[in-house]
Amino acid sequence: MSYTEAKEKYAAIGIDTEKAIEKLKEAEIALHCWQGDDVRGFDTDPDKPLTGGIQTTGNYPGRARTPEELMADIDEVIKLIPGRAKMNLHACYAIFDDENGGWVDRDKLEPKHFKKWVDFCKERNLGCDFNPTFFSHPKCDPLTLSSPNEDTRKFWIEHGKACIRISQYIAEELGETCVMNIWTGDGFKDIPADRKGPRDRYKDSIEQILSEPFDFNKVKPCVESKVFGIGVESYTVGSAEFTLSFAATHSDKCIPLMDNGHYHPTEVVSDKIPALLSFYPNIALHITRPVRWDSDHVVLFDDETKEIAKEIVRCGGLDGSVFMALDYFDASINRIGAWVTGFRNTQKALLNALLTPHEELKKLQDESNFTKLMIMQEELKTMPFGEVWNEYCDRCKVPQDGSWYQEIERYEIDVLSKRV
Ligand code: RNT
Ligand code: ZN
């Protein structure tokens, strides 16, 4: 079947594929730099353990070890993904060199440590999001912003404030909103003796961070919740209730962020998106794939990803209310292949949502015609989606499905396999 035939089939159910393609071209998805090096960063010993309850597994050869390698890998990814990406950096990816005075600790980071990234984004016309890094560092005791040790807590508050200043710099330089996500792995392995104390301190710490001056039109701080992590099974300070309540009571400075790996496995973020949008003008998402736990597998074109995309689209999220970012890290397969697959699949899910006759389906629901609603929803699954997707890839000047794996292989042979 050709694209023209597919277009006619969609037109018959009231869908304009041209409009869908144009809309998708504008949708911005943040590409997480940390898929390229297994969340190691450049500011501390790269062989230190990853802490904060997150885990990469696998030791596939070829991870990026320097800013130059990571940037080259990101360029390779960009060649293979359609649509609009923006960068997403963690503070631990600061670049230190002789020109900017060399290494400093996280509480002393400055915009100049991210100038090379800003230049990288400018040259490629990309926006950029940012994240303070509250893990994998000797000052995690193991708590950070909720630590009872005031020196520890002060250090991390200063880190958060430095990150606000860096986010403001990034937003101004690139002329685009910078979403700055606050997530800590603070919590306990075993049953706590005090659940409120750490939360009171966490609340105070985030308030202190947000007291740093910034323009809320340019910088969108968010708070990400989590149910549990590895080694932090019994209690997390930044639970769902904590972060949502924080965001609700600080809505002039902060928005909520949901990561779909951070809930009980039977809970779904697709259902939480409209719930939050009934109250918050803006929300942020980390799109990932949890397999039995917050495993951060590569995003697939699976049912929940499709459902998340449908909620984003039908709640008007592509018009600026929903900030989308990817968050996964698989070290067991070719990392470029992992990055590209997850990005393409998120785009596919959005395209699938844009090719869905939401108005008609809503009408059936409102008329209580659940039989026809079910039948239509099922039959949509065999519409010629692939033709529209391939046309979209063509128009974005990137390879169609079936024709990019060889480039992954070539890059692995020419570049990644030489990193020994
Ligand atoms: C961890 C959180 C967090 C991190 C990144 C690296 O469970 O999802 O967002 O994955 O900040
Ligand atoms: Zn996340």
Side-chain angles (χ1 to χ4, degrees), residues 34 54 131 181 183 224-226 257-262 285-288 294 296 326-329:
W34 51 94
I54 55 179
N131 306 258
N181 179 41
W183 171 77
E224 178 181 13
S225 68
K226 189 157 178 173
L257 185 145
M258 293 189 290
D259 178 313
N260 61 303
H262 290 191
L285 297 177
H286 272 182
I287 303 170
T288 187
D294 180 35
D296 290 298
L326 303 180
D327 184 14
Y328 53 83
F329 25 94

